[in-house]
Amino acid sequence: MASGDIGGRTMTIMAPWDLALEHADSDGIGQGDAGRMHAVDEKTMTMVRAVLEYAQQRMSYDSPPLDHPMRPSDLQRLAPNTITGHGMGGIRALHLFEDVIAPACLSSDHPMYLSFIPSAPTEASKAFDLVVSASALYGGSWLEGSGAVHLENQVLAFLAHEFGLPQQAGGVFVQGGTIGNLSALVAARETARRQRRDSGQAMPERWSIVCGEESHSSIRSAARVMDADVIVVPSDDSGRLQGERVRQTLAELSPEKRDGIAAIVACAGTTNFGLIDDLEGCAQVAHEEGVWFHVDGAYGLAGCLVPELRSHYKGVESADSVIVDPHKWLFAPYDACALIYRDPEQGRLAHQQHASYLETLDTDQAWNPSDYAINLTRRPRGLPLWFSLAAYGADEYRHAIATAVRLAQRISEEIRLRPQLELLRKPELSVVVFRHEGWKIKDYELWSQSLLDRQIAFVQPSFFQGEPVVRFAIINPRTTFDQLVMVLDTMDKGFDGAGSAS
């Protein structure tokens, strides 16, 4: 037996090494013929019902537990050697997950999960994610998953329309923003290569990607993978990338360096402040230079669905490619990034894989999602978003996104009224950044740990111009003004060396 403090409650569980000694066939897992794991019998259905009951219980929480990470030594003590020759049985494995593993994982859909960019999937999207997994759907080709691909394409068409892209725009759902940005930039480079080759021009010695200071780390990561250089353009005083600054930076480059630019990247919602770059100005420079214009809207581009915010996104309609992560502000489960091309053919030419066993997939009428990004095997990860949009309607999404923006504005005004706090930027979307007068990084860390220890909120410190700051990333429509005020109130208190309120 093993015991421990799990999520603030003391629990006693049977250790896996004890379970392995028992007859593993107690629920039909781990014994029998080669097909036993795939048998649909009463013992299997008992396990399935238990899993579904747990999922239903988890989804029925009015607010999920925030929970907290555990030390490696505690997890090793409570959940060692979980994989054995005989198996512990599905029911016991589920109990282990429920009692030990789940409480050691933060719930990103908790209303007070305010760090990084949270996730707040709708109840419909979570429920349908179970259906997608249970149905064993393959979403890489039209031949194998035409129905799923059809619905994913409807979502992509809806988003493209919201962003002002032409009717022929399309793409694919990939794992996340990093893969989406990489795939788009590879398509940009391959398009530039093909254009040069077709016109008889020489290839540059090095390809380059142009981006702003506040661009997401995945842009630099993509450039490393592509063995390309990054040309960083200084942001303006507000932290935005301006088209005129891009123009000035390019004018200062050597002809050889300028000749190798494959793409200009702008952000529609920077990670740290949620700011929208000068999309229109950057698009104009890209047009002048004859290069690809990519918009990284992983977090913020969802705001384009709100009519009163659309003027902030002027210029996105000129993009050659965009990304937006539904698992962020479009309320879908992890993991999903919508990659949309203005001209999908450019994406297909860059990414389509060729092999003898793949040629049967390529027909005149086929839309194969695997052709449009750095992926081949894929699940139809856009279906949970489709189901939620179909169930609730787009207007509910517009309302939920607008609610977060209004809350960010309201709590910003509250911050302005508190003399010990300094609001660093007026929020444009739903990210609020401020600092506490006189606090050092240790103060922020102790305060943050105290909030998590007391299960009040998850608020990790961030940095701005080398100084620690507080950052609220508001996504969840169930986050309230009073909850945020309560967090601000805790900053008026001191903290002892253990990180708890004095």
Coordinates of all heavy atoms in Angstrom, one line a residue, residues 6-9 54 58 61 64-70 98-108 110 113 449 451-458:
I6 N -2.7 14.1 -1.7 CA -3.0 14.3 -3.1 C -4.0 15.5 -3.2 O -5.1 15.4 -2.8 CB -3.6 13.1 -3.8 CG1 -2.8 11.8 -3.4 CG2 -3.8 13.3 -5.3 CD1 -1.5 11.8 -4.0
G7 N -3.5 16.6 -3.9 CA -4.4 17.7 -4.1 C -5.0 18.3 -2.8 O -6.2 18.7 -2.8
G8 N -4.2 18.2 -1.7 CA -4.7 18.8 -0.5 C -5.5 17.8 0.4 O -6.1 18.1 1.4
R9 N -5.6 16.5 -0.1 CA -6.4 15.5 0.6 C -5.5 14.3 0.8 O -4.8 13.9 -0.1 CB -7.7 15.2 -0.1 CG -7.5 14.7 -1.5 CD -8.9 14.7 -2.2 NE -8.8 14.1 -3.5 CZ -8.4 14.7 -4.6 NH1 -8.0 16.0 -4.5 NH2 -8.4 14.1 -5.8
Y54 N -16.0 8.3 -15.4 CA -15.1 9.2 -14.9 C -15.1 10.5 -15.8 O -15.0 11.6 -15.3 CB -13.7 8.6 -14.9 CG -12.6 9.6 -14.6 CD1 -12.4 10.2 -13.3 CD2 -11.8 10.1 -15.6 CE1 -11.5 11.1 -13.1 CE2 -10.8 11.1 -15.4 CZ -10.7 11.6 -14.1 OH -9.7 12.5 -13.8
R58 N -15.9 14.2 -14.5 CA -15.0 15.3 -14.7 C -15.7 16.5 -15.5 O -15.5 17.6 -15.1 CB -13.8 14.8 -15.6 CG -12.8 15.9 -15.9 CD -11.8 16.1 -14.8 NE -10.9 17.2 -15.0 CZ -9.8 17.5 -14.3 NH1 -9.5 16.7 -13.3 NH2 -9.1 18.5 -14.6
Y61 N -18.2 18.8 -13.3 CA -17.8 19.8 -12.3 C -18.2 21.2 -12.7 O -18.0 21.6 -13.9 CB -16.3 19.8 -12.2 CG -15.7 18.6 -11.6 CD1 -14.4 18.1 -12.0 CD2 -16.3 17.9 -10.6 CE1 -13.9 17.0 -11.5 CE2 -15.8 16.7 -10.0 CZ -14.5 16.3 -10.5 OH -14.0 15.2 -9.9
P64 N -13.7 22.9 -12.6 CA -12.8 21.8 -12.3 C -11.8 22.1 -11.3 O -11.6 23.3 -11.0 CB -12.1 21.6 -13.7 CG -12.2 23.0 -14.3 CD -13.5 23.5 -13.9
P65 N -11.2 21.1 -10.6 CA -10.1 21.4 -9.6 C -8.9 22.1 -10.3 O -8.6 21.7 -11.4 CB -9.8 20.0 -9.0 CG -10.2 19.1 -10.1 CD -11.4 19.7 -10.8
L66 N -8.4 23.1 -9.7 CA -7.2 23.7 -10.2 C -6.0 22.8 -10.2 O -5.2 22.6 -11.1 CB -6.9 25.0 -9.5 CG -5.7 25.9 -10.0 CD1 -5.9 26.2 -11.5 CD2 -5.6 27.1 -9.2
D67 N -5.8 22.1 -9.0 CA -4.7 21.1 -8.8 C -3.4 21.8 -8.9 O -3.2 23.0 -9.0 CB -4.9 19.9 -9.7 CG -6.1 19.1 -9.3 OD1 -6.4 18.9 -8.1 OD2 -6.7 18.5 -10.2
H68 N -2.3 21.0 -8.8 CA -1.0 21.5 -8.7 C 0.0 20.4 -9.1 O -0.3 19.2 -8.9 CB -0.7 22.1 -7.3 CG -0.9 21.2 -6.2 ND1 -0.1 20.1 -5.9 CD2 -1.9 21.2 -5.3 CE1 -0.6 19.4 -4.9 NE2 -1.7 20.1 -4.5
P69 N 1.2 20.8 -9.5 CA 2.2 19.8 -9.8 C 2.8 19.1 -8.6 O 2.7 19.7 -7.5 CB 3.3 20.6 -10.5 CG 3.2 22.0 -10.0 CD 1.7 22.2 -9.8
M70 N 3.3 17.9 -8.7 CA 3.9 17.2 -7.6 C 5.4 17.0 -7.9 O 5.8 17.0 -9.0 CB 3.2 15.8 -7.5 CG 1.8 15.9 -7.0 SD 1.0 14.3 -6.9 CE 2.0 13.5 -5.6
E98 N -7.0 8.7 -11.6 CA -8.0 9.6 -10.9 C -7.4 10.1 -9.6 O -7.6 11.3 -9.3 CB -9.3 8.9 -10.7 CG -10.4 9.7 -10.0 CD -11.7 9.0 -9.8 OE1 -11.8 7.8 -10.2 OE2 -12.6 9.6 -9.4
D99 N -6.8 9.2 -8.8 CA -6.4 9.6 -7.5 C -5.0 10.2 -7.4 O -4.7 11.0 -6.5 CB -6.4 8.3 -6.6 CG -7.8 7.7 -6.4 OD1 -8.7 8.5 -6.6 OD2 -7.9 6.6 -6.0
V100 N -4.1 9.9 -8.3 CA -2.7 10.3 -8.3 C -2.4 11.2 -9.4 O -1.9 12.4 -9.2 CB -1.8 9.1 -8.2 CG1 -0.3 9.6 -8.2 CG2 -2.1 8.3 -7.0
I101 N -2.6 10.8 -10.6 CA -2.0 11.5 -11.8 C -2.8 12.7 -12.1 O -2.2 13.8 -12.3 CB -2.0 10.5 -13.0 CG1 -1.2 9.3 -12.7 CG2 -1.5 11.2 -14.2 CD1 0.2 9.5 -12.3
A102 N -4.1 12.6 -12.2 CA -4.9 13.8 -12.6 C -4.7 15.0 -11.6 O -4.6 16.1 -12.0 CB -6.4 13.5 -12.6
P103 N -4.7 14.8 -10.3 CA -4.5 15.9 -9.3 C -3.1 16.5 -9.5 O -2.8 17.6 -9.0 CB -4.6 15.2 -8.0 CG -5.5 14.1 -8.2 CD -5.1 13.5 -9.5
A104 N -2.2 15.8 -10.1 CA -0.8 16.3 -10.4 C -0.7 17.1 -11.7 O 0.4 17.4 -12.1 CB 0.2 15.2 -10.3
C105 N -1.8 17.3 -12.3 CA -1.8 18.1 -13.6 C -2.8 19.3 -13.4 O -3.9 19.1 -13.0 CB -2.4 17.2 -14.7 SG -1.4 15.7 -15.1
L106 N -2.3 20.5 -13.7 CA -3.1 21.7 -13.6 C -4.2 21.6 -14.7 O -4.0 21.1 -15.8 CB -2.2 22.9 -13.9 CG -1.3 23.3 -12.8 CD1 -0.3 24.4 -13.3 CD2 -2.1 23.8 -11.6
S107 N -5.4 22.1 -14.3 CA -6.5 22.1 -15.2 C -6.5 23.4 -15.9 O -6.9 24.5 -15.4 CB -7.8 21.9 -14.4 OG -7.9 20.7 -13.7
S108 N -6.2 23.4 -17.2 CA -6.1 24.6 -17.9 C -7.4 25.3 -18.2 O -7.5 26.4 -18.7 CB -5.3 24.4 -19.2 OG -6.0 23.5 -20.1
H110 N -9.6 25.7 -15.8 CA -10.1 26.3 -14.6 C -10.3 27.8 -14.8 O -9.4 28.4 -15.5 CB -9.1 26.1 -13.5 CG -9.6 26.4 -12.1 ND1 -9.6 27.8 -11.7 CD2 -10.1 25.7 -11.1 CE1 -10.1 27.8 -10.4 NE2 -10.4 26.6 -10.1
Y113 N -7.1 29.8 -14.1 CA -5.9 29.5 -14.8 C -5.6 30.7 -15.7 O -6.2 30.8 -16.7 CB -6.0 28.2 -15.6 CG -4.8 27.7 -16.2 CD1 -4.2 26.5 -15.8 CD2 -4.2 28.3 -17.3 CE1 -3.0 26.0 -16.4 CE2 -3.0 27.8 -17.9 CZ -2.5 26.7 -17.5 OH -1.4 26.2 -18.1
Q449 N 3.2 31.2 -5.8 CA 3.1 29.8 -5.2 C 2.1 29.8 -4.1 O 1.4 28.8 -4.0 CB 4.5 29.5 -4.6 CG 4.6 28.0 -4.1 CD 4.3 27.0 -5.2 OE1 5.0 27.1 -6.3 NE2 3.4 26.1 -5.0
L451 N -0.7 31.5 -4.1 CA -2.0 31.4 -4.8 C -2.3 30.0 -5.2 O -3.5 29.5 -5.1 CB -2.1 32.3 -6.0 CG -2.1 33.8 -5.8 CD1 -2.0 34.5 -7.1 CD2 -3.4 34.2 -5.1
L452 N -1.3 29.3 -5.7 CA -1.5 27.9 -6.2 C -1.7 27.0 -5.0 O -2.5 26.1 -5.0 CB -0.4 27.5 -7.1 CG -0.5 26.1 -7.8 CD1 -1.8 26.2 -8.7 CD2 0.7 25.8 -8.7
D453 N -0.9 27.2 -4.0 CA -1.0 26.3 -2.8 C -2.4 26.4 -2.2 O -2.9 25.4 -1.7 CB 0.0 26.7 -1.7 CG 1.4 26.3 -2.1 OD1 1.6 25.5 -3.0 OD2 2.4 26.9 -1.5
R454 N -3.0 27.6 -2.2 CA -4.3 27.8 -1.6 C -5.4 27.5 -2.7 O -6.6 27.8 -2.4 CB -4.4 29.2 -1.0 CG -3.6 29.4 0.2 CD -3.7 30.7 0.8 NE -3.1 31.8 0.0 CZ -3.4 33.1 0.1 NH1 -4.4 33.5 0.9 NH2 -2.8 34.0 -0.7
Q455 N -5.0 27.1 -3.9 CA -6.0 26.8 -4.9 C -6.9 28.0 -5.3 O -8.0 27.8 -5.6 CB -6.8 25.6 -4.6 CG -6.0 24.3 -4.4 CD -5.5 23.8 -5.8 OE1 -6.3 23.1 -6.5 NE2 -4.3 24.0 -6.1
I456 N -6.3 29.2 -5.2 CA -7.0 30.4 -5.6 C -6.9 30.6 -7.1 O -7.8 30.9 -7.8 CB -6.5 31.6 -4.8 CG1 -6.8 31.4 -3.3 CG2 -7.1 32.9 -5.3 CD1 -6.2 32.5 -2.4
A457 N -5.6 30.6 -7.6 CA -5.4 30.9 -9.0 C -4.0 30.4 -9.4 O -3.1 30.1 -8.5 CB -5.5 32.4 -9.2
F458 N -3.8 30.3 -10.7 CA -2.5 30.0 -11.3 C -2.1 31.2 -12.1 O -2.6 31.5 -13.2 CB -2.6 28.7 -12.2 CG -1.3 28.4 -12.9 CD1 -0.1 28.2 -12.1 CD2 -1.3 28.2 -14.2 CE1 1.0 27.8 -12.8 CE2 -0.1 27.8 -14.9 CZ 1.1 27.7 -14.1

